[in-house]
Amino acid sequence: MNQNVRRGLLFSADEIEAIRRKISKYKWARNLYDKLVAAINETGPEPYGYEEKTNLPRRFSLKWPKADISAFPDEGDDRGLESLHYCRFMELALLARISDDPSALKRVRDLLPVLAEVLLRGSDLTKAFQYVGWFTAWCAATILVAYDLAYDEPTWTQADREKVEGAFKDIMERVLAEPSARHLCNSGFYYQVYKVVCGCFFSRQDWI
């Protein structure tokens, strides 16, 4: 285990417990929670949220996609990233933590090493590392938060941790080398988000 990693990017353990109490106490919180559960379990009248109305990729659920690189088709310059941008993988990880469901946490844990490969190379592992743009940085930031939420899942191996964390560090190196990542305007904002998230997670203030 990497002793330099700071966990709790989005919520601390106490804050997760506070969310659970709100769900138990307040009807509005329970309704929101139930809606998220229905979407992720693929049940209810609109199991995928808004995807069919806007032709966006499906959201991640407990059933989709399979934890295999072939589930992420290459799509132009972004090479597989399009299906990550709108899929709300972070919500799946958050629900897994709030529900404390071992099967949901395991699902997130199994998907993360695959998503690390998609971020770097798309769905073809024989290809060189893809261009890292604002799109990659934004996707990587949300996936890093999901990794943080699933960090304590008990089946993590050291090899998979190194693979996932190595991908985030590699993307960070490319972001730091990108001239447009030094600005706050337009798409440069998304680079800054990744710098903050990644810097906090790895305790690298120089990245921030």
Side-chain angles (χ1 to χ4, degrees):
M1 182 180 296
N2 186 347
Q3 298 300 320
N4 294 321
V5 169
R6 289 177 52 192
R7 299 185 294 282
L9 284 175
L10 194 61
F11 298 111
S12 66
D14 289 343
E15 288 168 331
I16 291 290
E17 190 56 42
I19 292 172
R20 291 172 181 152
R21 288 196 298 270
K22 284 183 172 67
I23 291 170
S24 298
K25 184 177 181 179
Y26 300 109
K27 184 177 180 180
W28 63 266
R30 185 72 207 187
N31 288 342
L32 287 173
Y33 177 76
D34 288 343
K35 184 177 180 180
L36 182 57
V37 169
I40 288 174
N41 288 334
E42 300 191 18
T43 58
E46 292 188 46
Y48 310 124
Y50 55 72
E51 288 76 359
E52 293 183 5
K53 298 175 184 178
T54 59
N55 296 318
L56 294 174
R58 289 175 60 180
R59 67 168 302 135
F60 275 44
S61 72
L62 293 179
K63 301 175 183 177
W64 184 90
K66 61 180 179 179
D68 184 273
I69 200 76
S70 64
F72 301 90
D74 282 356
E75 300 180 18
D77 292 338
D78 295 319
R79 297 227 311 269
L81 282 176
E82 181 67 23
S83 56
L84 302 184
H85 187 47
Y86 300 104
C87 65
R88 293 172 283 180
F89 180 64
M90 189 170 63
E91 288 185 4
L92 175 59
L94 181 58
L95 179 64
R97 276 298 308 276
I98 293 172
S99 66
D100 205 22
D101 180 351
S103 64
L105 279 172
K106 180 66 164 52
R107 168 78 168 143
V108 174
R109 175 259 178 275
D110 289 344
L111 283 165
L112 277 162
V114 179
L115 299 186
E117 288 283 7
V118 175
L119 285 170
L120 291 177
R121 297 184 179 86
S123 62
D124 187 345
L125 300 186
T126 65
K127 289 185 178 180
F129 282 44
Q130 62 184 328
Y131 168 75
V132 171
W134 71 266
F135 200 82
T136 316
W138 179 246
C139 292
T142 62
I143 293 170
L144 180 49
V145 171
Y147 174 53
D148 180 70
L149 287 165
Y151 189 91
D152 293 323
E153 200 282 328
T155 67
W156 276 104
T157 64
Q158 186 62 28
D160 278 343
R161 284 199 187 280
E162 290 175 358
K163 180 178 182 180
V164 172
E165 293 181 14
F168 292 129
K169 291 176 180 177
D170 188 279
I171 291 169
M172 189 65 205
E173 290 180 3
R174 294 165 188 269
V175 166
L176 292 173
E178 171 57 42
S180 63
R182 301 166 191 167
H183 307 289
L184 290 174
C185 60
N186 299 325
S187 59
F189 166 79
Y190 297 97
Y191 290 112
Q192 308 308 321
V193 171
Y194 186 64
K195 287 180 182 179
V196 172
V197 172
C198 203
C200 289
F201 186 87
F202 290 104
S203 299
R204 288 290 302 268
Q205 191 173 12
D206 56 313
W207 288 351
I208 301 173

